[in-house]
Amino acid sequence: MALLSLTQAHLAFGHVPLLDGADLSLDHGERIGLIGRNGAGKSSLLKILAGLEKPDDGLLQVQGGVRREYVPQEPFLQPGATVFQVVSEGVAEAKALRERFENHAPGEDLDALQTRLEALDGWNWEQRVDEALQRLELDPQAPVDSLSGGWRKRVALARALVAAPDVLLLDEPTNHLDLDAIDWLAGLLNNFRGALLLITHDRAFLDAVTTRIIELDRGQLRSYPGNFAAFEAAKQRELEAEALQNARADKLLAQEEVWIRKGVEARRTRSVARIARLEKLRETRAARRDVVGKVRLDLDTGAASGKIVAELQHVSKAYGDKVIVRDFSTTVLRGDKIGLIGPNGAGKTTLLKLILGQLAPDSGTVRQGSRVEVAYFDQMREVLNPEATLADTISPGSEWIEIGNQRKHVMSYLGDFLFSPARAHSPVKSLSGGERNRLLLARLFARPANVLVLDEPTNDLDIETLEMLEELLQDYDGTVFLVSHDRRFVDNVVTSTLVAEGDGLWREYEGGISDWQAQSARSAAAQDAAQKAAAKAAAKAEPATTPVAAPAAAPAPTEAKRKLSYKEQREFDELPGKIEALEMEQAELGALLADSDFYTRAPQRVAEVTQRHAQIEEELMALLERWEALGQRA
């Protein structure tokens, strides 16, 4: 039986149905990614599943005793509280019950209290909170008011996890998290024993975590087994088939409309059944909800900047004792697309301001290029006035905007970003988070610029808009500075990355995040090999320079050290066979995970196979390292 199931759910705001007879079930051990367009109703659906809101119609069934925990996009944390106090809210019932048991009133039913306490594992709630804090690397005494967005999200996750829920519901969990934190969260969720349903547009994160994708599309929920890569292939085939079916239906309808309008003589002999079929075709066409149009992005590059946008020579910047940039040199050319990578607080914004000449360095020189026009995308959306209308935000005081050589009416321009004319005079505060980001993009692209600074532009944007933005930036002739933790987006856009390596050191790498990680891994491996070679050379030289104090303390001959014992020789001979067997098992499990039918054929085995696949990788590394170590001595 499913942990929870939603049957024939209906939900509408105004005349647009967000849920139109939607069905959903969530089984134990599943990790589902919920995706869909901005404003499609994903967050509303998640709140319904969490029991915080009710559908207009339909039935939500929850298995008895199932505990649900919901973490919203912007979690509320009690002002003035410490991290320990906020995380302890996740065990509030257990905490209260134990206090009642320890200070029970005369006549209190202690057996019932004890039974409930044991069911909640409430006798050691402090230990559970401490374990969660250590696991998530949180300072229990830190005031939550002083935490950044990423750390506040960690606190909210700790509060949810400490409750040991059977169902965990997460709304955009990767927002405000840096790359390391996103990788950490993926590992945490892969080891989570309960069922998981999350909303995210981070495609790499979906690939790493999910076992099923559910798309909310025109009020319907469509399920696709496997991760996001499997969904993309299946969705493309589905859309092609739907477009072909709709085209055939439209052609038949057009033919029947021509027939019904023929002359008087034809109308006398027309078939009653054919007229009934025409009425049915009309009703079907009227009820059909077509695929929502795509955002149409266009960007005015303005006048080209000089060939050199900025040149930095031995630049340093510090705030007090904290060094943000240390002895950094680079040259930014027109057309470069640069990603800035680093943990939250590493100084990405400071480095950007130094490059653009908005901040003076403590030492070193910064030379600005000519004719530089900069446009900013601010992740905090501070440039948006909540009380202003959408039209005034795009083009204050005018109904027309100029984009390159084109002149567009503001209504038409807003339509390119999927805002209907009816919403043009709505206030900004009425928009969802994803819609505000879309409006911010519309405002940004309405102004001529040859340098774009994009600070977390992917937050809350749906996947189709992300892909359109990727294409636009790839074709953009100007210079782009991109701050983002969306691995796939950065890889698809940038030509180089500036990476914070700690203590104010920044290094430039060719390519995106994947290229940087591959180059870093090769560099680390080369460095490790050099250290091993140096250590081996030192070990060989040591017997010649170290005097022997006494026969008992004399080291064994070097040749004897290198020889393998009988047991080690047998182990060395057997290792290739063990490695080959593990590689074969890994290949078989990989093929299973890549097969979309596996997720419906044996859903109970998905978690087990995924865990074993990851475990084999660790075992292989250990065997390879052992084989290399024995091989050097053989």
Side-chain angles (χ1 to χ4, degrees):
M1 179 181 174
L3 294 175
L4 56 84
S5 60
L6 188 65
T7 309
Q8 285 297 298
H10 292 265
L11 180 69
F13 287 107
H15 65 283
V16 179
L18 299 179
L19 300 178
D20 190 9
D23 297 314
L24 171 68
S25 65
L26 181 62
D27 294 321
H28 183 78
E30 277 197 301
R31 297 195 298 275
I32 295 177
L34 176 61
I35 64 173
R37 279 289 181 88
N38 293 138
K42 301 185 297 298
S43 294
S44 298
L45 174 59
L46 209 62
K47 289 175 183 176
I48 289 171
L49 297 175
L52 301 176
E53 292 183 2
K54 292 186 177 179
D56 298 335
D57 194 12
L59 177 65
L60 175 65
Q61 292 178 299
V62 183
Q63 198 179 112
V66 166
R67 295 194 295 276
R68 294 169 286 175
E69 285 293 329
Y70 165 67
V71 181
Q73 286 188 45
E74 302 295 337
F76 173 78
L77 306 182
Q78 189 65 41
T82 65
V83 169
F84 183 87
Q85 290 169 334
V86 171
V87 175
S88 298
E89 292 171 8
V91 289
E93 184 185 358
K95 185 178 176 182
L97 283 174
R98 200 180 81 179
E99 191 172 334
R100 274 179 59 191
F101 187 90
E102 292 171 348
N103 304 294
H104 62 275
E108 183 113 39
D109 189 349
L110 294 181
D111 287 339
L113 281 177
Q114 183 171 353
T115 301
R116 182 59 181 159
L117 265 170
E118 288 172 353
L120 294 172
D121 192 19
W123 294 109
N124 59 344
W125 66 263
E126 296 99 336
Q127 182 183 343
R128 285 164 54 195
V129 171
D130 287 338
E131 286 176 358
L133 292 172
Q134 290 176 13
R135 192 175 179 188
L136 275 69
E137 301 176 359
L138 292 167
D139 177 6
Q141 301 308 317
V144 294
D145 298 338
S146 65
L147 300 179
S148 65
W151 286 103
R152 290 175 70 87
K153 186 64 70 78
R154 284 197 186 211
V155 172
L157 284 167
R159 179 172 59 187
L161 291 170
V162 79
D166 302 294
V167 175
L168 186 58
L169 305 167
L170 305 178
D171 195 349
E172 294 288 0
T174 62
N175 279 7
H176 309 301
L177 296 184
D178 56 37
L179 279 173
D180 290 339
I182 290 172
D183 289 340
W184 158 85
L185 179 60
L188 184 76
L189 296 180
N190 280 326
N191 292 324
F192 177 63
R193 294 181 180 178
L196 169 71
L197 195 150
L198 62 93
I199 297 171
T200 184
H201 300 123
D202 188 324
R203 293 157 289 178
F205 189 75
L206 284 169
D207 275 338
V209 171
T210 56
T211 57
R212 181 156 65 110
I213 298 292
I214 290 181
E215 184 187 29
L216 179 53
D217 181 25
R218 290 163 281 170
Q220 299 292 318
L221 290 171
R222 295 179 173 85
S223 179
Y224 301 84
N227 58 15
F228 184 75
F231 157 78
E232 282 187 300
K235 183 65 177 178
Q236 184 61 34
R237 293 192 297 269
E238 189 178 285
L239 285 175
E240 289 170 0
E242 182 182 347
L244 182 61
Q245 181 181 351
N246 288 343
R248 287 171 176 166
D250 289 342
K251 183 178 179 181
L252 178 60
L253 176 60
Q255 290 170 346
E256 294 301 289
E257 292 287 1
V258 170
W259 170 81
I260 201 69
R261 288 172 173 77
K262 282 183 179 179
V264 176
E265 184 181 349
R267 285 203 301 274
R268 290 199 197 101
T269 59
R270 61 191 177 191
S271 165
V272 174
R274 192 168 179 180
I275 294 171
R277 185 178 70 169
L278 173 60
E279 291 297 331
K280 189 174 181 181
L281 283 171
R282 286 172 173 171
E283 290 171 6
T284 303
R285 181 63 186 89
R288 189 171 86 201
R289 295 182 67 186
D290 289 325
V291 176
V292 181
K294 289 187 176 182
V295 175
R296 291 187 291 276
L297 301 177
D298 195 10
L299 183 56
D300 183 2
T301 310
S305 67
K307 185 176 181 182
I308 293 179
V309 174
E311 186 177 21
L312 284 70
Q313 293 290 335
H314 306 291
V315 167
S316 296
K317 184 69 180 177
Y319 292 105
D321 295 333
K322 186 175 183 181
V323 179
I324 306 298
V325 179
R326 184 192 301 275
D327 194 26
F328 178 67
S329 300
T330 191
T331 301
V332 179
L333 301 178
R334 182 179 64 235
D336 283 351
K337 297 177 176 65
I338 300 173
L340 280 82
I341 309 300
N344 293 331
K348 298 185 288 290
T349 303
T350 300
L351 180 58
L352 264 177
K353 288 181 177 179
L354 288 168
I355 293 172
L356 298 174
Q358 298 171 353
L359 192 65
D362 296 339
S363 61
T365 59
V366 178
R367 184 165 69 92
Q368 298 298 312
S370 59
R371 303 186 302 278
V372 172
E373 298 178 53
V374 183
Y376 283 89
F377 181 98
D378 175 23
Q379 65 163 321
M380 304 310 294
R381 311 182 189 120
E382 291 176 354
V383 297
L384 295 179
N385 178 3
E387 303 301 327
T389 65
L390 275 62
D392 285 341
T393 300
I394 297 300
S395 183
S398 173
E399 293 185 353
W400 299 89
I401 58 173
E402 303 279 348
I403 301 179
N405 297 322
Q406 282 187 315
R407 192 166 185 256
K408 274 192 174 183
H409 194 277
V410 69
M411 297 294 184
S412 172
Y413 184 70
L414 282 169
D416 290 345
F417 288 82
L418 305 184
F419 293 112
S420 65
R423 300 188 70 186
H425 297 293
S426 301
V428 170
K429 63 184 179 183
S430 67
L431 303 180
S432 69
E435 289 172 325
R436 291 191 189 197
N437 265 18
R438 212 189 307 144
L439 179 66
L440 201 53
L441 285 174
R443 185 181 186 275
L444 179 78
F445 296 161
R447 287 155 174 74
N450 49 40
V451 174
L452 284 183
V453 179
L454 305 176
D455 189 358
E456 293 293 353
T458 62
N459 282 353
D460 304 321
L461 286 182
D462 59 58
I463 289 169
E464 288 187 55
T465 307
L466 280 178
E467 291 173 347
M468 293 293 290
L469 182 57
E470 283 175 2
E471 291 178 17
L472 177 78
L473 294 175
Q474 287 165 1
D475 298 335
Y476 177 58
D477 293 330
T479 306
V480 177
F481 293 98
L482 174 62
V483 179
S484 177
H485 300 123
D486 187 322
R487 197 180 306 256
R488 185 83 62 87
F489 186 80
V490 174
D491 282 348
N492 290 344
V493 170
V494 305
T495 55
S496 63
T497 50
L498 299 178
V499 182
E501 300 195 333
D503 196 28
L505 296 176
W506 291 83
R507 184 171 297 178
E508 187 168 4
Y509 293 87
E510 291 298 317
I513 292 174
S514 300
D515 299 305
W516 155 57
Q517 291 177 330
Q519 291 173 60
S520 297
R522 286 197 298 269
S523 176
Q527 189 175 1
D528 186 50
Q531 289 176 348
K532 284 182 178 178
K536 186 184 287 187
K540 285 182 178 179
E542 188 178 350
T545 57
T546 304
V548 178
T558 306
E559 196 63 33
K561 276 187 177 180
R562 286 202 299 271
K563 275 191 175 181
L564 297 179
S565 66
Y566 174 74
K567 185 177 179 181
E568 286 174 331
Q569 185 63 50
R570 283 194 60 185
E571 181 188 0
F572 181 64
D573 294 339
E574 292 170 357
L575 277 174
K578 290 181 179 179
I579 291 169
E580 185 179 0
L582 277 177
E583 287 175 341
M584 289 177 63
E585 184 184 357
Q586 188 181 45
E588 290 171 3
L589 295 181
L592 267 181
L593 292 173
D595 181 7
S596 59
D597 293 338
F598 171 64
Y599 296 89
T600 52
R601 189 173 65 248
Q604 69 280 359
R605 288 195 60 211
V606 171
E608 173 196 342
V609 170
T610 304
Q611 185 177 0
R612 177 57 185 157
H613 189 268
Q615 185 182 355
I616 288 175
E617 187 65 31
E618 296 176 4
E619 291 179 9
L620 271 174
M621 288 303 297
L623 289 180
L624 286 168
E625 286 174 2
R626 179 63 175 161
W627 185 58
E628 183 182 1
L630 292 176
Q632 288 175 350
R633 294 174 51 198

